[in-house]
Every structure is written in C-alpha cells, then in structure tokens.
Amino acid sequence: MVNIAFDIESYDGYWDGDGNYRNDQPGDDLNQYRLNLGYAHRLASRWQAAIVAPYVWNSNQYSGLSSNTNGIGDMTLGLTYEAFDGIKCIWKVRDWRDLVPAAYFGVALTVPTGISPYDDVANNFDITGRGFYRLDGNILLDKTIYPWSASLLFSYGKYLERDVNTEYGNAVEPYKKELGDRMLGTATFGYTHFLDNMDSMTFSLSYSRLQEDAVSYDGRPYAGSEIEKNSVGAILAYSTMNRDWVYKLIFSHAFPEDGQGQNFPVTDIVTLGVSHVFR
C-alpha cells in the first residue's frame, strides 16, 4: 500500500507552563507544511511493515522577521500485528462474538532524520524534527457495525537519551538529554454511507489527548517541562467498493483556551490524503 498525505499546520498562540493560553504577537504568521510519503508491505497474513518519510516546509513571520526553510523530517518505521481472524466489520449482531473488535498491536521507531535544535540552525523556526530516537508501542481497537464505527488508539513512547554539545549552531558544555515518556490516546466515532455503486463515504469525529513527561538533563527531570495537548478532529473519507483507493480530508483543531494544553503550540491542521492498495 502507498499513502500520500499533505498537512497544512497553522499556529495560533501557545500554552505556557501553567496551561494558560498566550496569543502570538500582532502580525505574526507561523505555518508548517508537510508532505508525508508512506509505504506498507504485508510480510505475512497478520504482519505488516511500514515506513513514513515526511518533507517539511516552514514559512514564518515572527517579530517582523521572515523565515522560510525546508528539509526532510523525522522518519518512522513500523511493524503491526493483526490479532484477529476474519473480517470484524458486520451488519448485524447475532451473538456476543460479533461484538469483539479488531485488535492491532504495533511498534514504531521514530528516526531523527530531520533538522533539530542540535544542528546548525538559527532558531526553532528552522527545525523539521526533534532530534531524538523514540520507540512506541501501539494498540488499536476497531469495531464496525454498519453504518456505525468506533475505534480506540493507545500509544506509549520512550525517547532514547542522547549526548548534546551543540544548540542552535553554538557549542555548549556537553550534557545528556532525554525527552519525557510520551502518551497518546485517541477515540473516534464514525458513520458510513454507501452509494449506489457501493463506494462509501465515512464521516468521523475524534478526540485526542497527548502528554509527555518532564525532560531530563543528565538524568535529572526538569520540573515544568511537561507537555500536554487536547484536540478534536473531523474526518471525511471516500472509498471505492473494493477499498483499493481511499481519499481523506482531515481537520484537527486545538482549543485556544486555558487548561487545554501545556508548553505546546495551539494549531489547526488540515490534511489531504490518498492511499492505494496493490492487490
């Protein structure tokens, strides 16, 4: 399977360390664009490997200064196991076994191929990645009883500690840094409408919560560096009858309000995507 997606992310202020929303300065305009190229290959009946490579464009105006940079982002390598037999999408519940969801278990490795603050860059507006390896464990539970569907995604990530001796192109006294453990949960609820030709359109709503623990320097956590973000999303997907082509329009919104995040930018993300399954 091949997947191509284009993200348009617009920044609208940020949450500070106390969870208070702070607006950007008048005239600021911060944007990031990402072209994500993905490929998945079935290794066996239940196993699938995948790779995602993003290319990032930054376009920013901040405090009267303009900045336009681009480069490859952090790549992701993944392996997924499908822990079920047969199709779990049904039209009618006949006994309790029909309620068992499809379960997917996966691991993913984020590779720091992007430009990070530890490279030769001037500021945060030039970066395209975070500069750390991260290993995630993922669980996806999905159930469809047509026309309704629901899914739950749980993800736990562990960053690998790294040595740092450069920050934004300047030499610093060497130290070890590790980002905090990452937790992500997403709940999605959708409705599918079948067209006369048996192509389908699915509309879904989602809620996501992202958290990261405190950053550690030389093994010591730095209080107040925790990250949090709450967001909602809407997804419109069009699929051909045999599901070999899927087109998606996704909108993700973070609320510019106090208490909805911490140490994180407030953004809206629009994603246009298409995927094709080779049979």
Side-chain angles (χ1 to χ4, degrees), residues 33 52 54 74 96 152 156 183 212 230-231 243 246 267:
Y33 310 95
V52 178
D74 290 344
W96 66 269
L152 290 173
Y156 186 89
M183 292 148 283
E212 282 190 10
N230 299 314
S231 60
R243 294 182 176 271
V246 179
T267 66

Side-chain angles (χ1 to χ4, degrees), residues 156-177:
Y156 186 89
K158 181 75 174 180
Y159 289 94
L160 303 185
E161 186 179 63
R162 62 162 290 172
D163 293 316
V164 176
N165 55 23
T166 302
E167 293 179 350
Y168 300 105
N170 298 311
V172 298
E173 186 164 343
Y175 64 90
K176 294 182 179 295
K177 184 175 182 179

Side-chain angles (χ1 to χ4, degrees), residues 8 11 16-17 53 59 80 98 128 147 150 183 187 199 205 209 245 247 257:
I8 303 171
Y11 291 71
D16 63 18
S59 177
T80 301
D98 292 334
T128 63
M183 292 148 283
D199 288 358
L205 297 175
R209 180 176 178 85
W245 287 96
Y247 306 88
E257 301 173 357

Side-chain angles (χ1 to χ4, degrees), residues 139-143 149-155 183-191 203-210 229-235 250-253:
I139 300 175
L140 173 63
L141 303 176
D142 181 84
K143 187 62 190 178
S149 61
S151 67
L152 290 173
L153 170 67
F154 303 95
S155 179
M183 292 148 283
L184 172 67
T186 301
T188 305
F189 186 73
Y191 177 86
F203 178 73
S204 305
L205 297 175
S206 67
Y207 171 78
S208 294
R209 180 176 178 85
L210 170 67
K229 179 186 180 182
N230 299 314
S231 60
V232 295
I235 306 166
I250 305 171
F251 176 67
S252 176
H253 175 68

Side-chain angles (χ1 to χ4, degrees), residues 101-122:
Y104 303 81
F105 298 89
V107 292
L109 176 66
T110 299
V111 182
T113 49
I115 303 168
S116 77
Y118 317 107
D119 296 315
D120 187 14
V121 295

